[in-house]
Amino acid sequence: MLNEKTKELLNSQINKEFYSAYLYLAFANYFDNNGLDGFANYFKIQAQEERDHALLFLEFLQNNGILPMLEGIEKPNQNFSSIKEVLQEALNHEKYVTASINTIYDEAINNKDYRTTQFLDWFVKEQLEEEKSADDLLVKWDMYGEDKRSLYLLDKELSERVYTAPSLQL
Ligand code: FEO
């Protein structure tokens, strides 16, 4: 069913999703260290979602009788000079993940591997939401982030985000 290239891409996606979790934890640490607990909460939950994504790829491989191979997780950038830099990096990273998912999708389509494309459909939709959320945050920052009172309110709004398990069932 799954060809070698698709298996390889799915396996490397496990690592990319765990790396995403690590990167978002680095963002959360930055915000925590700068007194923005709401932003820190937002990115901590984002990290939990990325871990979930990694586990979904891992379980999909297992369900197809494939042994996942865990690789080392790269150390993320932890030197940020501004809030804007972090928010921009979040958006850039989500675009990178979208491109990565699309590459797996292309391979599966070319191989008429509809089992994998059906699995990936959830991620295609999820990536739209992820990119939109990252972009929205950047737009808000650009509009009023420099204003202390507005930043306080935005931080408060982000502190209300709660973790929910992914809707995808394997
Ligand atoms: Fe799992 Fe934010 O992509």
Side-chain angles (χ1 to χ4, degrees):
M1 251 305 181
L2 277 67
N3 71 1
E4 281 310 311
K5 183 73 184 165
T6 305
K7 286 184 204 171
E8 194 183 298
L9 290 170
L10 287 166
N11 196 81
S12 80
Q13 194 64 30
I14 297 172
N15 189 277
K16 286 176 184 169
E17 300 291 347
F18 275 128
Y19 173 77
S20 303
Y22 229 36
L23 181 65
Y24 288 139
L25 274 182
F27 293 169
N29 288 344
Y30 169 80
F31 287 118
D32 184 73
N33 197 41
N34 282 280
L36 289 168
D37 296 350
F39 279 77
N41 172 62
Y42 179 90
F43 281 106
K44 245 182 257 173
I45 290 170
Q46 198 62 34
Q48 286 175 286
E49 287 194 357
E50 300 302 350
R51 175 210 55 201
D52 291 341
H53 295 169
L55 293 178
L56 285 167
F57 279 97
L58 184 139
E59 284 168 27
F60 180 72
L61 286 178
Q62 287 174 329
N63 289 349
N64 282 280
I66 300 155
L67 175 66
M69 284 292 146
L70 300 178
E71 306 291 343
I73 300 167
E74 195 189 327
K75 181 177 170 180
N77 174 24
Q78 293 174 84
N79 297 310
F80 310 110
S81 56
S82 68
I83 294 171
K84 166 115 181 176
E85 183 192 333
V86 174
L87 300 182
Q88 185 65 60
E89 193 170 328
L91 177 60
N92 293 348
H93 185 71
E94 285 305 332
K95 287 183 176 174
Y96 161 76
V97 173
T98 298
S100 180
I101 302 269
N102 289 347
T103 299
I104 312 173
Y105 209 106
D106 285 344
E107 181 61 30
I109 282 272
N110 290 339
N111 192 39
K112 292 188 167 42
D113 174 1
Y114 303 119
R115 184 181 291 182
T116 299
T117 58
Q118 192 191 41
F119 165 69
L120 290 175
D121 280 338
W122 184 87
F123 285 93
V124 171
K125 195 158 168 272
E126 176 74 3
Q127 281 312 119
L128 172 64
E129 286 171 22
E130 300 266 85
E131 279 191 41
K132 185 183 180 315
S133 304
D135 192 51
D136 285 353
L137 207 46
L138 197 52
V139 168
K140 284 179 183 174
W141 169 261
D142 283 340
M143 279 181 70
Y144 51 73
E146 304 283 1
D147 174 64
K148 284 190 168 39
R149 186 182 301 211
S150 302
L151 180 60
Y152 173 78
L153 291 173
L154 178 58
D155 190 60
K156 202 162 159 23
E157 180 188 315
L158 296 176
S159 73
E160 285 158 15
R161 184 182 185 191
V162 290
Y163 167 75
T164 49
S167 55
L168 178 62
Q169 305 288 328
L170 293 181

